[in-house]
Amino acid sequence: MKSDSQKSHKSFHEDFSKSKSRYFYYGSTGRKADFKFNMGIDSPTDSEEKIVSFKLDPLDEAGPGKGPEIISKKFTHFGTYSTRLKVPDVKDKQPNVGAVVGYFNYYDDDKKGLSEIDFEWLIADPSIIYIGTWTGEHGKLQRIGRIINLAKGEILETISKINYDGTPTALEGRQNMPESIQAIENYDASSQFYTYGFDWKSDRLRWWMIHPETADTVTLWDYQGSKLGIPQHSSKYRMNFWHTKDWAVEGNPNSLEKPNFPFELEVDWMEYMPEKN
């Protein structure tokens, strides 16, 4: 891996109105089918918007990066990240599909280890949001994570663990704020576009979204009080969509099916604003 002494992005807002981006490149490691990725096209669900379209290829293998993915050309670091997106609606065609939408930072540095901050949706249940980080070295990766059923206003877990199969420990105090969350009535990430974001600081991480009716900022998780799990080194800004065969959505262990259709993720825009020194 290259060191993070490379150039870093300044503030940008990518509205995906053109067929190519100044800030992102296409980085899928799966099949090269043209239909998987198109930038600057009309949204099929909002005629007033230009989007970048990510479509699953049913012939792609399972795994992160096999599906369509965009990666920032330069590094990003502490600051505010936001996006407006709509995940695909699968309930009528294939409700048990195993597929993940990822909005995140990710960079694995040879010396400093992993720097990853995530928003994820398992599209078999678009009322649930997964947020968290991965840091450290492979073999002893540190996870902090929260799972929220936003339609019900339920925080299903807020935990820390080591490695993917580690025993989770419930987080408390300032690492577990807010302790409760109000439901967004009928929240369904596949029903419309929503705006999501996160604020990344050296000693604090806050995941948030914009309420679709009031336009208030809804804090999903304001993690502070410890640097445990907070990435410290630069990363790459990304969006992806991929098939998982071993990560089922909460409450539905059957949701691991290989996609049978080219389900579509729509991304309206992505923004980055570095932290002011």
Side-chain angles (χ1 to χ4, degrees), residues 186-209:
N186 299 320
Y187 171 75
D188 176 342
S190 71
S191 66
Q192 65 180 75
F193 283 90
Y194 291 91
T195 298
Y196 307 92
F198 58 90
D199 304 324
W200 175 19
K201 299 183 178 182
S202 64
D203 58 353
R204 185 174 184 176
L205 271 168
R206 185 176 73 112
W207 289 262
W208 50 270
M209 66 178 291

mmCIF file with all atom_site columns, all heavy atoms in Angstrom, residues 186-209:
data_model
loop_
_atom_site.group_PDB
_atom_site.id
_atom_site.type_symbol
_atom_site.label_atom_id
_atom_site.label_alt_id
_atom_site.label_comp_id
_atom_site.label_asym_id
_atom_site.label_entity_id
_atom_site.label_seq_id
_atom_site.pdbx_PDB_ins_code
_atom_site.Cartn_x
_atom_site.Cartn_y
_atom_site.Cartn_z
_atom_site.occupancy
_atom_site.B_iso_or_equiv
_atom_site.pdbx_formal_charge
_atom_site.auth_seq_id
_atom_site.auth_comp_id
_atom_site.auth_asym_id
_atom_site.auth_atom_id
_atom_site.pdbx_PDB_model_num
ATOM 1   N N   . ASN A 1 186 ? -42.282 5.325  9.310  1.00 0.00 ? 186 ASN A N   1
ATOM 2   C CA  . ASN A 1 186 ? -42.217 4.689  7.990  1.00 0.00 ? 186 ASN A CA  1
ATOM 3   C C   . ASN A 1 186 ? -40.846 4.805  7.335  1.00 0.00 ? 186 ASN A C   1
ATOM 4   O O   . ASN A 1 186 ? -40.738 4.710  6.108  1.00 0.00 ? 186 ASN A O   1
ATOM 5   C CB  . ASN A 1 186 ? -43.290 5.260  7.056  1.00 0.00 ? 186 ASN A CB  1
ATOM 6   C CG  . ASN A 1 186 ? -44.696 5.037  7.577  1.00 0.00 ? 186 ASN A CG  1
ATOM 7   O OD1 . ASN A 1 186 ? -45.007 3.973  8.103  1.00 0.00 ? 186 ASN A OD1 1
ATOM 8   N ND2 . ASN A 1 186 ? -45.542 6.054  7.463  1.00 0.00 ? 186 ASN A ND2 1
ATOM 9   N N   . TYR A 1 187 ? -39.805 5.012  8.133  1.00 0.00 ? 187 TYR A N   1
ATOM 10  C CA  . TYR A 1 187 ? -38.471 5.074  7.524  1.00 0.00 ? 187 TYR A CA  1
ATOM 11  C C   . TYR A 1 187 ? -38.194 3.801  6.733  1.00 0.00 ? 187 TYR A C   1
ATOM 12  O O   . TYR A 1 187 ? -38.345 2.685  7.231  1.00 0.00 ? 187 TYR A O   1
ATOM 13  C CB  . TYR A 1 187 ? -37.374 5.266  8.579  1.00 0.00 ? 187 TYR A CB  1
ATOM 14  C CG  . TYR A 1 187 ? -35.983 5.105  7.977  1.00 0.00 ? 187 TYR A CG  1
ATOM 15  C CD1 . TYR A 1 187 ? -35.442 6.110  7.180  1.00 0.00 ? 187 TYR A CD1 1
ATOM 16  C CD2 . TYR A 1 187 ? -35.255 3.936  8.155  1.00 0.00 ? 187 TYR A CD2 1
ATOM 17  C CE1 . TYR A 1 187 ? -34.203 5.952  6.588  1.00 0.00 ? 187 TYR A CE1 1
ATOM 18  C CE2 . TYR A 1 187 ? -34.003 3.776  7.571  1.00 0.00 ? 187 TYR A CE2 1
ATOM 19  C CZ  . TYR A 1 187 ? -33.486 4.785  6.795  1.00 0.00 ? 187 TYR A CZ  1
ATOM 20  O OH  . TYR A 1 187 ? -32.248 4.618  6.190  1.00 0.00 ? 187 TYR A OH  1
ATOM 21  N N   . ASP A 1 188 ? -37.777 3.992  5.501  1.00 0.00 ? 188 ASP A N   1
ATOM 22  C CA  . ASP A 1 188 ? -37.451 2.910  4.590  1.00 0.00 ? 188 ASP A CA  1
ATOM 23  C C   . ASP A 1 188 ? -36.443 3.483  3.599  1.00 0.00 ? 188 ASP A C   1
ATOM 24  O O   . ASP A 1 188 ? -36.799 4.319  2.761  1.00 0.00 ? 188 ASP A O   1
ATOM 25  C CB  . ASP A 1 188 ? -38.725 2.430  3.886  1.00 0.00 ? 188 ASP A CB  1
ATOM 26  C CG  . ASP A 1 188 ? -38.482 1.362  2.837  1.00 0.00 ? 188 ASP A CG  1
ATOM 27  O OD1 . ASP A 1 188 ? -37.331 1.201  2.397  1.00 0.00 ? 188 ASP A OD1 1
ATOM 28  O OD2 . ASP A 1 188 ? -39.454 0.688  2.438  1.00 0.00 ? 188 ASP A OD2 1
ATOM 29  N N   . ALA A 1 189 ? -35.195 3.072  3.715  1.00 0.00 ? 189 ALA A N   1
ATOM 30  C CA  . ALA A 1 189 ? -34.124 3.657  2.902  1.00 0.00 ? 189 ALA A CA  1
ATOM 31  C C   . ALA A 1 189 ? -34.325 3.424  1.415  1.00 0.00 ? 189 ALA A C   1
ATOM 32  O O   . ALA A 1 189 ? -33.646 4.047  0.595  1.00 0.00 ? 189 ALA A O   1
ATOM 33  C CB  . ALA A 1 189 ? -32.778 3.093  3.340  1.00 0.00 ? 189 ALA A CB  1
ATOM 34  N N   . SER A 1 190 ? -35.273 2.520  1.057  1.00 0.00 ? 190 SER A N   1
ATOM 35  C CA  . SER A 1 190 ? -35.547 2.252  -0.353 1.00 0.00 ? 190 SER A CA  1
ATOM 36  C C   . SER A 1 190 ? -36.752 3.020  -0.878 1.00 0.00 ? 190 SER A C   1
ATOM 37  O O   . SER A 1 190 ? -37.063 2.944  -2.066 1.00 0.00 ? 190 SER A O   1
ATOM 38  C CB  . SER A 1 190 ? -35.777 0.747  -0.568 1.00 0.00 ? 190 SER A CB  1
ATOM 39  O OG  . SER A 1 190 ? -37.010 0.323  -0.016 1.00 0.00 ? 190 SER A OG  1
ATOM 40  N N   . SER A 1 191 ? -37.445 3.755  -0.017 1.00 0.00 ? 191 SER A N   1
ATOM 41  C CA  . SER A 1 191 ? -38.693 4.409  -0.430 1.00 0.00 ? 191 SER A CA  1
ATOM 42  C C   . SER A 1 191 ? -38.465 5.787  -1.044 1.00 0.00 ? 191 SER A C   1
ATOM 43  O O   . SER A 1 191 ? -39.315 6.280  -1.796 1.00 0.00 ? 191 SER A O   1
ATOM 44  C CB  . SER A 1 191 ? -39.636 4.545  0.770  1.00 0.00 ? 191 SER A CB  1
ATOM 45  O OG  . SER A 1 191 ? -39.094 5.431  1.739  1.00 0.00 ? 191 SER A OG  1
ATOM 46  N N   . GLN A 1 192 ? -37.337 6.423  -0.715 1.00 0.00 ? 192 GLN A N   1
ATOM 47  C CA  . GLN A 1 192 ? -37.045 7.765  -1.210 1.00 0.00 ? 192 GLN A CA  1
ATOM 48  C C   . GLN A 1 192 ? -35.575 8.064  -0.962 1.00 0.00 ? 192 GLN A C   1
ATOM 49  O O   . GLN A 1 192 ? -34.869 7.304  -0.294 1.00 0.00 ? 192 GLN A O   1
ATOM 50  C CB  . GLN A 1 192 ? -37.909 8.804  -0.497 1.00 0.00 ? 192 GLN A CB  1
ATOM 51  C CG  . GLN A 1 192 ? -37.618 8.918  1.002  1.00 0.00 ? 192 GLN A CG  1
ATOM 52  C CD  . GLN A 1 192 ? -38.477 9.961  1.684  1.00 0.00 ? 192 GLN A CD  1
ATOM 53  O OE1 . GLN A 1 192 ? -39.659 9.749  1.927  1.00 0.00 ? 192 GLN A OE1 1
ATOM 54  N NE2 . GLN A 1 192 ? -37.884 11.110 2.009  1.00 0.00 ? 192 GLN A NE2 1
ATOM 55  N N   . PHE A 1 193 ? -35.113 9.201  -1.491 1.00 0.00 ? 193 PHE A N   1
ATOM 56  C CA  . PHE A 1 193 ? -33.765 9.661  -1.189 1.00 0.00 ? 193 PHE A CA  1
ATOM 57  C C   . PHE A 1 193 ? -33.725 10.232 0.224  1.00 0.00 ? 193 PHE A C   1
ATOM 58  O O   . PHE A 1 193 ? -34.632 10.948 0.643  1.00 0.00 ? 193 PHE A O   1
ATOM 59  C CB  . PHE A 1 193 ? -33.336 10.748 -2.182 1.00 0.00 ? 193 PHE A CB  1
ATOM 60  C CG  . PHE A 1 193 ? -32.923 10.239 -3.529 1.00 0.00 ? 193 PHE A CG  1
ATOM 61  C CD1 . PHE A 1 193 ? -33.852 10.088 -4.542 1.00 0.00 ? 193 PHE A CD1 1
ATOM 62  C CD2 . PHE A 1 193 ? -31.600 9.909  -3.778 1.00 0.00 ? 193 PHE A CD2 1
ATOM 63  C CE1 . PHE A 1 193 ? -33.480 9.635  -5.793 1.00 0.00 ? 193 PHE A CE1 1
ATOM 64  C CE2 . PHE A 1 193 ? -31.221 9.448  -5.016 1.00 0.00 ? 193 PHE A CE2 1
ATOM 65  C CZ  . PHE A 1 193 ? -32.151 9.300  -6.033 1.00 0.00 ? 193 PHE A CZ  1
ATOM 66  N N   . TYR A 1 194 ? -32.645 9.923  0.940  1.00 0.00 ? 194 TYR A N   1
ATOM 67  C CA  . TYR A 1 194 ? -32.366 10.506 2.243  1.00 0.00 ? 194 TYR A CA  1
ATOM 68  C C   . TYR A 1 194 ? -30.936 11.038 2.249  1.00 0.00 ? 194 TYR A C   1
ATOM 69  O O   . TYR A 1 194 ? -30.068 10.517 1.521  1.00 0.00 ? 194 TYR A O   1
ATOM 70  C CB  . TYR A 1 194 ? -32.483 9.465  3.364  1.00 0.00 ? 194 TYR A CB  1
ATOM 71  C CG  . TYR A 1 194 ? -33.866 8.956  3.656  1.00 0.00 ? 194 TYR A CG  1
ATOM 72  C CD1 . TYR A 1 194 ? -34.362 7.827  3.009  1.00 0.00 ? 194 TYR A CD1 1
ATOM 73  C CD2 . TYR A 1 194 ? -34.673 9.585  4.606  1.00 0.00 ? 194 TYR A CD2 1
ATOM 74  C CE1 . TYR A 1 194 ? -35.634 7.337  3.296  1.00 0.00 ? 194 TYR A CE1 1
ATOM 75  C CE2 . TYR A 1 194 ? -35.947 9.096  4.903  1.00 0.00 ? 194 TYR A CE2 1
ATOM 76  C CZ  . TYR A 1 194 ? -36.411 7.976  4.237  1.00 0.00 ? 194 TYR A CZ  1
ATOM 77  O OH  . TYR A 1 194 ? -37.669 7.499  4.522  1.00 0.00 ? 194 TYR A OH  1
ATOM 78  N N   . THR A 1 195 ? -30.685 12.039 3.082  1.00 0.00 ? 195 THR A N   1
ATOM 79  C CA  . THR A 1 195 ? -29.344 12.586 3.263  1.00 0.00 ? 195 THR A CA  1
ATOM 80  C C   . THR A 1 195 ? -28.749 12.051 4.564  1.00 0.00 ? 195 THR A C   1
ATOM 81  O O   . THR A 1 195 ? -29.383 12.144 5.626  1.00 0.00 ? 195 THR A O   1
ATOM 82  C CB  . THR A 1 195 ? -29.376 14.120 3.299  1.00 0.00 ? 195 THR A CB  1
ATOM 83  O OG1 . THR A 1 195 ? -29.858 14.603 2.049  1.00 0.00 ? 195 THR A OG1 1
ATOM 84  C CG2 . THR A 1 195 ? -27.978 14.694 3.545  1.00 0.00 ? 195 THR A CG2 1
ATOM 85  N N   . TYR A 1 196 ? -27.541 11.490 4.461  1.00 0.00 ? 196 TYR A N   1
ATOM 86  C CA  . TYR A 1 196 ? -26.824 10.908 5.594  1.00 0.00 ? 196 TYR A CA  1
ATOM 87  C C   . TYR A 1 196 ? -25.424 11.524 5.666  1.00 0.00 ? 196 TYR A C   1
ATOM 88  O O   . TYR A 1 196 ? -24.881 11.976 4.655  1.00 0.00 ? 196 TYR A O   1
ATOM 89  C CB  . TYR A 1 196 ? -26.661 9.395  5.421  1.00 0.00 ? 196 TYR A CB  1
ATOM 90  C CG  . TYR A 1 196 ? -27.929 8.632  5.145  1.00 0.00 ? 196 TYR A CG  1
ATOM 91  C CD1 . TYR A 1 196 ? -28.350 8.382  3.839  1.00 0.00 ? 196 TYR A CD1 1
ATOM 92  C CD2 . TYR A 1 196 ? -28.707 8.137  6.193  1.00 0.00 ? 196 TYR A CD2 1
ATOM 93  C CE1 . TYR A 1 196 ? -29.515 7.663  3.579  1.00 0.00 ? 196 TYR A CE1 1
ATOM 94  C CE2 . TYR A 1 196 ? -29.876 7.409  5.938  1.00 0.00 ? 196 TYR A CE2 1
ATOM 95  C CZ  . TYR A 1 196 ? -30.271 7.181  4.627  1.00 0.00 ? 196 TYR A CZ  1
ATOM 96  O OH  . TYR A 1 196 ? -31.422 6.465  4.372  1.00 0.00 ? 196 TYR A OH  1
ATOM 97  N N   . GLY A 1 197 ? -24.824 11.484 6.865  1.00 0.00 ? 197 GLY A N   1
ATOM 98  C CA  . GLY A 1 197 ? -23.469 11.990 6.974  1.00 0.00 ? 197 GLY A CA  1
ATOM 99  C C   . GLY A 1 197 ? -22.796 11.581 8.265  1.00 0.00 ? 197 GLY A C   1
ATOM 100 O O   . GLY A 1 197 ? -23.412 10.998 9.165  1.00 0.00 ? 197 GLY A O   1
ATOM 101 N N   . PHE A 1 198 ? -21.502 11.880 8.336  1.00 0.00 ? 198 PHE A N   1
ATOM 102 C CA  . PHE A 1 198 ? -20.767 11.664 9.582  1.00 0.00 ? 198 PHE A CA  1
ATOM 103 C C   . PHE A 1 198 ? -19.695 12.730 9.732  1.00 0.00 ? 198 PHE A C   1
ATOM 104 O O   . PHE A 1 198 ? -19.155 13.251 8.753  1.00 0.00 ? 198 PHE A O   1
ATOM 105 C CB  . PHE A 1 198 ? -20.169 10.251 9.675  1.00 0.00 ? 198 PHE A CB  1
ATOM 106 C CG  . PHE A 1 198 ? -19.228 9.856  8.573  1.00 0.00 ? 198 PHE A CG  1
ATOM 107 C CD1 . PHE A 1 198 ? -17.858 10.089 8.675  1.00 0.00 ? 198 PHE A CD1 1
ATOM 108 C CD2 . PHE A 1 198 ? -19.694 9.216  7.432  1.00 0.00 ? 198 PHE A CD2 1
ATOM 109 C CE1 . PHE A 1 198 ? -16.980 9.698  7.678  1.00 0.00 ? 198 PHE A CE1 1
ATOM 110 C CE2 . PHE A 1 198 ? -18.830 8.812  6.426  1.00 0.00 ? 198 PHE A CE2 1
ATOM 111 C CZ  . PHE A 1 198 ? -17.464 9.059  6.536  1.00 0.00 ? 198 PHE A CZ  1
ATOM 112 N N   . ASP A 1 199 ? -19.442 13.093 10.990 1.00 0.00 ? 199 ASP A N   1
ATOM 113 C CA  . ASP A 1 199 ? -18.399 14.057 11.360 1.00 0.00 ? 199 ASP A CA  1
ATOM 114 C C   . ASP A 1 199 ? -17.269 13.284 12.023 1.00 0.00 ? 199 ASP A C   1
ATOM 115 O O   . ASP A 1 199 ? -17.474 12.657 13.075 1.00 0.00 ? 199 ASP A O   1
ATOM 116 C CB  . ASP A 1 199 ? -18.949 15.097 12.338 1.00 0.00 ? 199 ASP A CB  1
ATOM 117 C CG  . ASP A 1 199 ? -20.176 15.820 11.802 1.00 0.00 ? 199 ASP A CG  1
ATOM 118 O OD1 . ASP A 1 199 ? -20.232 16.076 10.592 1.00 0.00 ? 199 ASP A OD1 1
ATOM 119 O OD2 . ASP A 1 199 ? -21.092 16.116 12.609 1.00 0.00 ? 199 ASP A OD2 1
ATOM 120 N N   . TRP A 1 200 ? -16.100 13.348 11.429 1.00 0.00 ? 200 TRP A N   1
ATOM 121 C CA  . TRP A 1 200 ? -14.944 12.572 11.894 1.00 0.00 ? 200 TRP A CA  1
ATOM 122 C C   . TRP A 1 200 ? -13.928 13.528 12.510 1.00 0.00 ? 200 TRP A C   1
ATOM 123 O O   . TRP A 1 200 ? -13.370 14.381 11.824 1.00 0.00 ? 200 TRP A O   1
ATOM 124 C CB  . TRP A 1 200 ? -14.354 11.811 10.715 1.00 0.00 ? 200 TRP A CB  1
ATOM 125 C CG  . TRP A 1 200 ? -13.095 11.043 10.977 1.00 0.00 ? 200 TRP A CG  1
ATOM 126 C CD1 . TRP A 1 200 ? -12.600 10.634 12.179 1.00 0.00 ? 200 TRP A CD1 1
ATOM 127 C CD2 . TRP A 1 200 ? -12.169 10.579 9.984  1.00 0.00 ? 200 TRP A CD2 1
ATOM 128 N NE1 . TRP A 1 200 ? -11.423 9.941  12.003 1.00 0.00 ? 200 TRP A NE1 1
ATOM 129 C CE2 . TRP A 1 200 ? -11.143 9.891  10.667 1.00 0.00 ? 200 TRP A CE2 1
ATOM 130 C CE3 . TRP A 1 200 ? -12.120 10.677 8.596  1.00 0.00 ? 200 TRP A CE3 1
ATOM 131 C CZ2 . TRP A 1 200 ? -10.058 9.319  9.986  1.00 0.00 ? 200 TRP A CZ2 1
ATOM 132 C CZ3 . TRP A 1 200 ? -11.054 10.108 7.922  1.00 0.00 ? 200 TRP A CZ3 1
ATOM 133 C CH2 . TRP A 1 200 ? -10.039 9.422  8.620  1.00 0.00 ? 200 TRP A CH2 1
ATOM 134 N N   . LYS A 1 201 ? -13.736 13.383 13.813 1.00 0.00 ? 201 LYS A N   1
ATOM 135 C CA  . LYS A 1 201 ? -12.712 14.137 14.531 1.00 0.00 ? 201 LYS A CA  1
ATOM 136 C C   . LYS A 1 201 ? -11.777 13.152 15.220 1.00 0.00 ? 201 LYS A C   1
ATOM 137 O O   . LYS A 1 201 ? -12.095 11.973 15.352 1.00 0.00 ? 201 LYS A O   1
ATOM 138 C CB  . LYS A 1 201 ? -13.349 15.079 15.564 1.00 0.00 ? 201 LYS A CB  1
ATOM 139 C CG  . LYS A 1 201 ? -14.272 16.113 14.942 1.00 0.00 ? 201 LYS A CG  1
ATOM 140 C CD  . LYS A 1 201 ? -14.828 17.067 15.992 1.00 0.00 ? 201 LYS A CD  1
ATOM 141 C CE  . LYS A 1 201 ? -15.717 18.120 15.353 1.00 0.00 ? 201 LYS A CE  1
ATOM 142 N NZ  . LYS A 1 201 ? -16.231 19.088 16.357 1.00 0.00 ? 201 LYS A NZ  1
ATOM 143 N N   . SER A 1 202 ? -10.657 13.626 15.704 1.00 0.00 ? 202 SER A N   1
ATOM 144 C CA  . SER A 1 202 ? -9.661  12.734 16.303 1.00 0.00 ? 202 SER A CA  1
ATOM 145 C C   . SER A 1 202 ? -10.171 12.078 17.578 1.00 0.00 ? 202 SER A C   1
ATOM 146 O O   . SER A 1 202 ? -9.724  10.987 17.945 1.00 0.00 ? 202 SER A O   1
ATOM 147 C CB  . SER A 1 202 ? -8.365  13.495 16.599 1.00 0.00 ? 202 SER A CB  1
ATOM 148 O OG  . SER A 1 202 ? -8.595  14.502 17.574 1.00 0.00 ? 202 SER A OG  1
ATOM 149 N N   . ASP A 1 203 ? -11.129 12.743 18.256 1.00 0.00 ? 203 ASP A N   1
ATOM 150 C CA  . ASP A 1 203 ? -11.601 12.229 19.540 1.00 0.00 ? 203 ASP A CA  1
ATOM 151 C C   . ASP A 1 203 ? -13.115 12.081 19.605 1.00 0.00 ? 203 ASP A C   1
ATOM 152 O O   . ASP A 1 203 ? -13.682 11.914 20.677 1.00 0.00 ? 203 ASP A O   1
ATOM 153 C CB  . ASP A 1 203 ? -11.143 13.146 20.672 1.00 0.00 ? 203 ASP A CB  1
ATOM 154 C CG  . ASP A 1 203 ? -11.631 14.574 20.516 1.00 0.00 ? 203 ASP A CG  1
ATOM 155 O OD1 . ASP A 1 203 ? -12.229 14.894 19.450 1.00 0.00 ? 203 ASP A OD1 1
ATOM 156 O OD2 . ASP A 1 203 ? -11.425 15.381 21.444 1.00 0.00 ? 203 ASP A OD2 1
ATOM 157 N N   . ARG A 1 204 ? -13.762 12.141 18.422 1.00 0.00 ? 204 ARG A N   1
ATOM 158 C CA  . ARG A 1 204 ? -15.225 12.080 18.419 1.00 0.00 ? 204 ARG A CA  1
ATOM 159 C C   . ARG A 1 204 ? -15.715 11.705 17.022 1.00 0.00 ? 204 ARG A C   1
ATOM 160 O O   . ARG A 1 204 ? -15.167 12.146 16.017 1.00 0.00 ? 204 ARG A O   1
ATOM 161 C CB  . ARG A 1 204 ? -15.793 13.442 18.817 1.00 0.00 ? 204 ARG A CB  1
ATOM 162 C CG  . ARG A 1 204 ? -17.293 13.501 18.981 1.00 0.00 ? 204 ARG A CG  1
ATOM 163 C CD  . ARG A 1 204 ? -17.675 14.868 19.522 1.00 0.00 ? 204 ARG A CD  1
ATOM 164 N NE  . ARG A 1 204 ? -19.108 14.984 19.810 1.00 0.00 ? 204 ARG A NE  1
ATOM 165 C CZ  . ARG A 1 204 ? -19.661 16.057 20.365 1.00 0.00 ? 204 ARG A CZ  1
ATOM 166 N NH1 . ARG A 1 204 ? -18.915 17.107 20.697 1.00 0.00 ? 204 ARG A NH1 1
ATOM 167 N NH2 . ARG A 1 204 ? -20.968 16.092 20.601 1.00 0.00 ? 204 ARG A NH2 1
ATOM 168 N N   . LEU A 1 205 ? -16.759 10.881 16.978 1.00 0.00 ? 205 LEU A N   1
ATOM 169 C CA  . LEU A 1 205 ? -17.413 10.523 15.715 1.00 0.00 ? 205 LEU A CA  1
ATOM 170 C C   . LEU A 1 205 ? -18.917 10.684 15.884 1.00 0.00 ? 205 LEU A C   1
ATOM 171 O O   . LEU A 1 205 ? -19.495 10.188 16.857 1.00 0.00 ? 205 LEU A O   1
ATOM 172 C CB  . LEU A 1 205 ? -17.108 9.070  15.338 1.00 0.00 ? 205 LEU A CB  1
ATOM 173 C CG  . LEU A 1 205 ? -15.866 8.799  14.504 1.00 0.00 ? 205 LEU A CG  1
ATOM 174 C CD1 . LEU A 1 205 ? -15.562 7.305  14.485 1.00 0.00 ? 205 LEU A CD1 1
ATOM 175 C CD2 . LEU A 1 205 ? -16.057 9.313  13.086 1.00 0.00 ? 205 LEU A CD2 1
ATOM 176 N N   . ARG A 1 206 ? -19.531 11.361 14.926 1.00 0.00 ? 206 ARG A N   1
ATOM 177 C CA  . ARG A 1 206 ? -20.979 11.528 14.980 1.00 0.00 ? 206 ARG A CA  1
ATOM 178 C C   . ARG A 1 206 ? -21.594 11.146 13.633 1.00 0.00 ? 206 ARG A C   1
ATOM 179 O O   . ARG A 1 206 ? -21.239 11.718 12.605 1.00 0.00 ? 206 ARG A O   1
ATOM 180 C CB  . ARG A 1 206 ? -21.371 12.970 15.333 1.00 0.00 ? 206 ARG A CB  1
ATOM 181 C CG  . ARG A 1 206 ? -22.881 13.161 15.521 1.00 0.00 ? 206 ARG A CG  1
ATOM 182 C CD  . ARG A 1 206 ? -23.208 14.573 15.975 1.00 0.00 ? 206 ARG A CD  1
ATOM 183 N NE  . ARG A 1 206 ? -23.054 15.543 14.900 1.00 0.00 ? 206 ARG A NE  1
ATOM 184 C CZ  . ARG A 1 206 ? -24.061 16.208 14.329 1.00 0.00 ? 206 ARG A CZ  1
ATOM 185 N NH1 . ARG A 1 206 ? -25.301 16.013 14.732 1.00 0.00 ? 206 ARG A NH1 1
ATOM 186 N NH2 . ARG A 1 206 ? -23.829 17.087 13.369 1.00 0.00 ? 206 ARG A NH2 1
ATOM 187 N N   . TRP A 1 207 ? -22.461 10.142 13.671 1.00 0.00 ? 207 TRP A N   1
ATOM 188 C CA  . TRP A 1 207 ? -23.233 9.760  12.487 1.00 0.00 ? 207 TRP A CA  1
ATOM 189 C C   . TRP A 1 207 ? -24.600 10.434 12.565 1.00 0.00 ? 207 TRP A C   1
ATOM 190 O O   . TRP A 1 207 ? -25.214 10.473 13.636 1.00 0.00 ? 207 TRP A O   1
ATOM 191 C CB  . TRP A 1 207 ? -23.428 8.251  12.437 1.00 0.00 ? 207 TRP A CB  1
ATOM 192 C CG  . TRP A 1 207 ? -22.217 7.433  12.134 1.00 0.00 ? 207 TRP A CG  1
ATOM 193 C CD1 . TRP A 1 207 ? -21.859 6.911  10.915 1.00 0.00 ? 207 TRP A CD1 1
ATOM 194 C CD2 . TRP A 1 207 ? -21.212 6.969  13.050 1.00 0.00 ? 207 TRP A CD2 1
ATOM 195 N NE1 . TRP A 1 207 ? -20.702 6.164  11.019 1.00 0.00 ? 207 TRP A NE1 1
ATOM 196 C CE2 . TRP A 1 207 ? -20.282 6.178  12.328 1.00 0.00 ? 207 TRP A CE2 1
ATOM 197 C CE3 . TRP A 1 207 ? -21.014 7.148  14.426 1.00 0.00 ? 207 TRP A CE3 1
ATOM 198 C CZ2 . TRP A 1 207 ? -19.182 5.576  12.919 1.00 0.00 ? 207 TRP A CZ2 1
ATOM 199 C CZ3 . TRP A 1 207 ? -19.912 6.554  15.020 1.00 0.00 ? 207 TRP A CZ3 1
ATOM 200 C CH2 . TRP A 1 207 ? -19.005 5.779  14.276 1.00 0.00 ? 207 TRP A CH2 1
ATOM 201 N N   . TRP A 1 208 ? -25.123 10.917 11.444 1.00 0.00 ? 208 TRP A N   1
ATOM 202 C CA  . TRP A 1 208 ? -26.365 11.665 11.461 1.00 0.00 ? 208 TRP A CA  1
ATOM 203 C C   . TRP A 1 208 ? -27.110 11.516 10.139 1.00 0.00 ? 208 TRP A C   1
ATOM 204 O O   . TRP A 1 208 ? -26.574 10.990 9.160  1.00 0.00 ? 208 TRP A O   1
ATOM 205 C CB  . TRP A 1 208 ? -26.099 13.152 11.740 1.00 0.00 ? 208 TRP A CB  1
ATOM 206 C CG  . TRP A 1 208 ? -25.038 13.776 10.864 1.00 0.00 ? 208 TRP A CG  1
ATOM 207 C CD1 . TRP A 1 208 ? -23.686 13.848 11.128 1.00 0.00 ? 208 TRP A CD1 1
ATOM 208 C CD2 . TRP A 1 208 ? -25.222 14.401 9.593  1.00 0.00 ? 208 TRP A CD2 1
ATOM 209 N NE1 . TRP A 1 208 ? -23.018 14.477 10.104 1.00 0.00 ? 208 TRP A NE1 1
ATOM 210 C CE2 . TRP A 1 208 ? -23.946 14.827 9.142  1.00 0.00 ? 208 TRP A CE2 1
ATOM 211 C CE3 . TRP A 1 208 ? -26.322 14.651 8.785  1.00 0.00 ? 208 TRP A CE3 1
ATOM 212 C CZ2 . TRP A 1 208 ? -23.755 15.484 7.922  1.00 0.00 ? 208 TRP A CZ2 1
ATOM 213 C CZ3 . TRP A 1 208 ? -26.137 15.299 7.567  1.00 0.00 ? 208 TRP A CZ3 1
ATOM 214 C CH2 . TRP A 1 208 ? -24.859 15.714 7.163  1.00 0.00 ? 208 TRP A CH2 1
ATOM 215 N N   . MET A 1 209 ? -28.358 11.982 10.120 1.00 0.00 ? 209 MET A N   1
ATOM 216 C CA  . MET A 1 209 ? -29.118 12.071 8.879  1.00 0.00 ? 209 MET A CA  1
ATOM 217 C C   . MET A 1 209 ? -30.055 13.266 8.973  1.00 0.00 ? 209 MET A C   1
ATOM 218 O O   . MET A 1 209 ? -30.272 13.812 10.065 1.00 0.00 ? 209 MET A O   1
ATOM 219 C CB  . MET A 1 209 ? -29.901 10.795 8.603  1.00 0.00 ? 209 MET A CB  1
ATOM 220 C CG  . MET A 1 209 ? -31.013 10.507 9.581  1.00 0.00 ? 209 MET A CG  1
ATOM 221 S SD  . MET A 1 209 ? -31.950 9.011  9.156  1.00 0.00 ? 209 MET A SD  1
ATOM 222 C CE  . MET A 1 209 ? -32.798 9.549  7.665  1.00 0.00 ? 209 MET A CE  1
#
